[in-house]
Amino acid sequence: MLEIIRIHNELLGTYGDRGNADVLKYRAGLRKISARVTDISYLDPLPKTGDIYLLGGAEDAAQILSLNALRKGSILTRAANKGAVVLAICAGFQILGNRYVTRDAEIEGLGLLDVVTTPGDRRLVGDIAVATELFDFPLTGFENHSSVTTLGPDAAPFGKVLQGNGNGVAGVDGAIDKNVFGTYLHGPVLARSPEFADLLLERAVGSSISEVDDELALRYAKWRRALIK
Ligand code: GLN
């Protein structure tokens, strides 16, 4: 059973990123891979047995609540260190960094990615497209954030921004380290790019997965990519 853990959706669910879990479960099912999505509240400890951990977007106060809950027991860090897949979107990405700085506070992050997030000078909202080294086509989504993220020397960007802002620093989006993926791509990003969902499934099962004929999903992905300015 592939365990998909949706972390603190009551806090990290503001921008619809919950759909990433649903896409993963659906696309696992297309391969007859049994998968279970488990919602974990910030009041409860994370399961240590997750194969894929998902974090979504949130307002500043909500993400701080989530960060403080995740700090207890370092379960996500231990799981990531053992190779579990982590996909963190916007706020979820920001709290995986070393430091999360708001106008009112400076808080230590979970330290999974060598990044620091600080207040920006304007809200960054709109369509976004990112070129990555994982695919020969851009990933699309939307962004809506006021903070910006700077990569440290040990962080590799998730991709190069083709449209929009991404991190808001140095023309890149997100950060990646082994199976830990951080990005500013809401969408949900996996609904926008089913190929990315399949890559995460392969990383989680540890082997290649069969091709599937999901023509509608690919048609939608290509339609979105054709809109990139
Ligand atoms: N609260 C964070 C910010 O405004 C993240 C927003 C989000 O998750 N979309 O930068």
Side-chain angles (χ1 to χ4, degrees):
M1 174 73 74
L2 190 74
E3 297 291 352
I4 301 167
I5 309 299
R6 187 158 48 199
I7 297 175
H8 307 169
N9 191 63
E10 74 274 31
L11 296 173
L12 304 177
T14 309
Y15 298 87
D17 299 308
R18 64 172 291 124
N20 287 325
D22 303 327
V23 172
L24 287 165
K25 181 176 181 349
Y26 169 72
R27 295 191 68 81
L30 291 177
R31 279 90 176 189
K32 305 278 185 278
I33 300 168
S34 55
R36 173 168 51 203
V37 176
T38 303
D39 277 297
I40 301 295
S41 159
Y42 83 103
L43 298 170
D44 299 317
L46 289 186
K48 295 177 180 144
T49 53
D51 298 299
I52 302 177
Y53 292 84
L54 302 169
L55 303 92
E59 314 89 301
D60 294 5
Q63 72 191 81
I64 291 171
L65 206 52
S66 178
L67 171 53
N68 289 331
L70 287 172
R71 216 192 295 285
K72 294 176 195 139
S74 306
I75 294 170
L76 186 59
T77 305
R78 294 172 197 274
N81 290 342
K82 283 193 287 187
V85 173
V86 180
L87 174 65
I89 312 297
C90 201
F93 164 43
Q94 295 173 349
I95 65 176
L96 292 193
N98 292 325
R99 282 202 334 276
Y100 173 56
V101 184
T102 71
R103 285 185 169 70
D104 314 313
E106 178 166 345
I107 304 144
E108 187 184 343
L110 294 175
L112 267 73
L113 292 169
D114 181 17
V115 302
V116 174
T117 294
T118 53
D121 54 14
R122 61 193 169 90
R123 192 149 194 93
L124 304 175
V125 183
D127 289 322
I128 174 172
V130 173
T132 72
E133 292 181 1
L134 301 168
F135 306 102
D136 59 6
F137 50 80
L139 304 182
T140 71
F142 71 89
E143 63 183 333
N144 184 337
H145 56 104
S146 63
S147 297
V148 294
T149 299
T150 305
L151 301 191
D154 296 334
F158 177 53
K160 179 175 174 297
V161 175
L162 301 177
Q163 178 183 351
N165 303 277
N167 291 2
V169 175
V172 296
D173 169 64
I176 184 172
D177 181 12
K178 303 183 191 71
N179 283 344
V180 179
F181 300 80
T183 175
Y184 275 99
L185 285 163
H186 296 295
V189 64
L190 300 185
R192 292 284 196 97
S193 295
E195 306 92 339
F196 187 19
D198 292 351
L199 181 145
L200 297 182
L201 287 174
E202 286 198 341
R203 296 286 183 94
V205 302
S207 61
S208 61
I209 57 176
S210 57
E211 288 298 312
V212 290
D213 177 20
D214 190 357
E215 193 271 335
L216 179 60
L218 285 177
R219 185 153 31 107
Y220 174 64
K222 287 174 183 160
W223 175 74
R224 281 289 189 180
R225 288 167 198 153
L227 294 176
I228 296 170
K229 290 187 179 61

